[in-house]
Amino acid sequence: HTVAEISEAIGHSFPTVKKHLELMRAAGEVNEQGLTPSTGGRPATRYVFNPSAANGLCAYIEQDVIAYRRIDAIGTTLDKGRMAIRHGNHLQTLFDLLASQLASHSIQAITIGVAAAVADGEIIYAPDYPTLSNVALTTLLESTFDVPVVVENDMNAAVYGYGRSVPTYADETIVYVYLGKNGPGSGILLNGRLIRGKTNFTGEISFLPFYAHHTFYDRIRNHQRGTSLTDQACDALARLVTTFTATLNPHTIVFSDIDVTEEDIRRVRKRSERYIAATHLPDLTRGLWEEHYFQGLITFCVETLLETI
């Protein structure tokens, strides 16, 4: 855009915008991109944001691996990879990854996703990750690496990413469900807003007591990825759909593509109709789990990067 276009858009004077653009150009944050076509007067210079002005690192921690992507300031992936968890120590493996990446690249922001309950950057519930449990991870990483860090629950990141990857209305209510390697979880956008709850424990669906002597987790824990849902698991998911329908009345419930097939979703919908009228049921669909997860982390990271510029 030209100085005049930016001035009009943001409501600041031409000289003020010009001054800041020159400072940003000197810092490498914007580049000149030619002149506007002449209309009789002096052609105006166009400026374009330089996405390589800042890099971010996005990573998620799972049972046996940390997957990561290095991005530029508009979220384009520059590099990606995976690091196996070493000696069962998730925290040390994360430190090794970050130290390696920051030694090789200029990183201005970091986002970390973890399959655990997270409150203000602290891991408050992570029974399967003992080295992360009750760790104030944001504070620890920022003090160690001197880079702004966002730590987020995996399902919050996934539903946030889905809401920005798939055409939806801004006020839609969406639930994202993942059966997980260490137990199930869900993320919720309520009228387009990410819901965390009183103690940041929203979405911990493994505890739902759907049966007299069994929880939701008890009924789906033996489901093998790549196989059809057992009748027991299908019924548990139908009860989950019914619960969300009766409480949140969402527009869509998204299931991870690595957990269920299209046929599984058809069966879950049919079973759900035993418990609640079909007219109230949301759309049931499959989501690209890893892509939506990373898209959420990338969105958080870009927002943080732009705050540092």
Side-chain angles (χ1 to χ4, degrees):
H1 294 283
T2 66
V3 175
E5 289 169 342
I6 297 171
S7 175
E8 182 179 358
I10 68 175
H12 286 278
S13 70
F14 188 101
T16 297
V17 172
K18 178 68 173 177
K19 175 184 175 181
H20 282 282
L21 280 173
E22 287 302 319
L23 291 171
M24 294 178 73
R25 187 180 64 80
E29 295 166 355
V30 300
N31 297 321
E32 293 183 358
Q33 196 185 46
L35 302 174
T36 59
S38 176
T39 57
R42 182 179 177 182
T45 301
R46 290 193 178 278
Y47 295 86
V48 60
F49 178 67
N50 177 16
S52 63
N55 280 194
L57 186 70
C58 308
Y60 72 75
I61 305 169
E62 279 236 343
Q63 185 179 41
D64 53 4
V65 70
I66 299 178
Y68 67 89
R69 295 184 185 182
R70 184 168 56 87
I71 63 168
D72 65 16
I74 58 172
T76 303
T77 297
L78 304 174
D79 185 28
K80 61 183 178 180
R82 306 172 85 83
M83 178 178 283
I85 300 299
R86 298 169 180 169
H87 311 296
N89 193 325
H90 296 82
L91 183 59
Q92 186 59 55
T93 305
L94 177 63
F95 264 74
D96 292 344
L97 171 65
L98 297 183
S100 173
Q101 287 292 309
L102 269 71
S104 303
H105 307 285
S106 177
I107 304 292
Q108 284 76 39
I110 297 170
T111 52
I112 305 294
V114 59
V118 181
D120 298 321
E122 179 178 351
I123 311 297
I124 61 172
Y125 180 74
D128 297 301
Y129 305 116
T131 60
L132 294 175
S133 189
N134 299 311
V135 173
L137 194 56
T138 292
T139 300
L140 179 60
L141 295 180
E142 288 184 340
S143 63
T144 302
F145 297 107
D146 195 28
V147 174
V149 177
V150 174
V151 178
E152 187 56 88
N153 166 267
D154 60 339
M155 296 313 306
N156 285 347
V159 74
Y160 197 68
Y162 178 87
R164 281 148 183 78
S165 302
V166 178
T168 60
Y169 292 106
D171 62 348
E172 284 193 13
T173 294
I174 300 168
V175 177
Y176 208 123
V177 176
Y178 178 50
L179 300 185
K181 294 181 179 179
N182 298 100
S186 67
I188 300 170
L189 289 179
L190 183 61
N191 296 335
R193 179 186 175 193
L194 187 60
I195 299 301
R196 303 179 187 277
K198 175 184 176 182
T199 62
N200 289 269
F201 209 66
T202 294
E204 297 295 338
I205 56 177
S206 61
F207 295 97
L208 291 172
F210 286 157
Y211 304 89
H213 303 290
H214 297 94
T215 63
F216 174 71
Y217 180 45
D218 293 331
R219 289 300 179 103
I220 59 90
R221 67 191 309 168
N222 294 322
H223 170 58
Q224 298 294 318
R225 286 174 174 169
T227 64
S228 297
L229 290 173
T230 63
D231 190 65
Q232 177 175 279
C234 181
D235 184 71
L237 285 173
R239 291 173 186 244
L240 181 68
V241 168
T242 302
T243 300
F244 279 130
T245 300
T247 53
L248 300 178
N249 197 202
H251 297 79
T252 305
I253 295 180
V254 186
F255 295 97
S256 162
D257 59 331
I258 58 179
D259 289 328
V260 299
T261 65
E262 292 292 348
E263 175 60 19
D264 289 332
I265 289 180
R266 187 194 66 78
R267 290 174 56 212
V268 169
R269 184 175 187 86
K270 188 172 182 62
R271 180 66 67 92
S272 300
E273 292 174 5
R274 296 185 182 182
Y275 302 119
I276 199 165
T279 187
H280 300 302
L281 288 172
D283 292 333
L284 305 184
T285 188
R286 295 170 76 219
L288 301 174
W289 161 249
E290 187 170 54
E291 286 305 309
H292 292 147
Y293 193 173
F294 263 124
Q295 187 56 54
L297 294 176
I298 287 170
T299 302
F300 291 135
C301 195
V302 167
E303 290 170 355
T304 304
L305 281 172
L306 293 180
E307 289 175 0
T308 68
I309 293 176

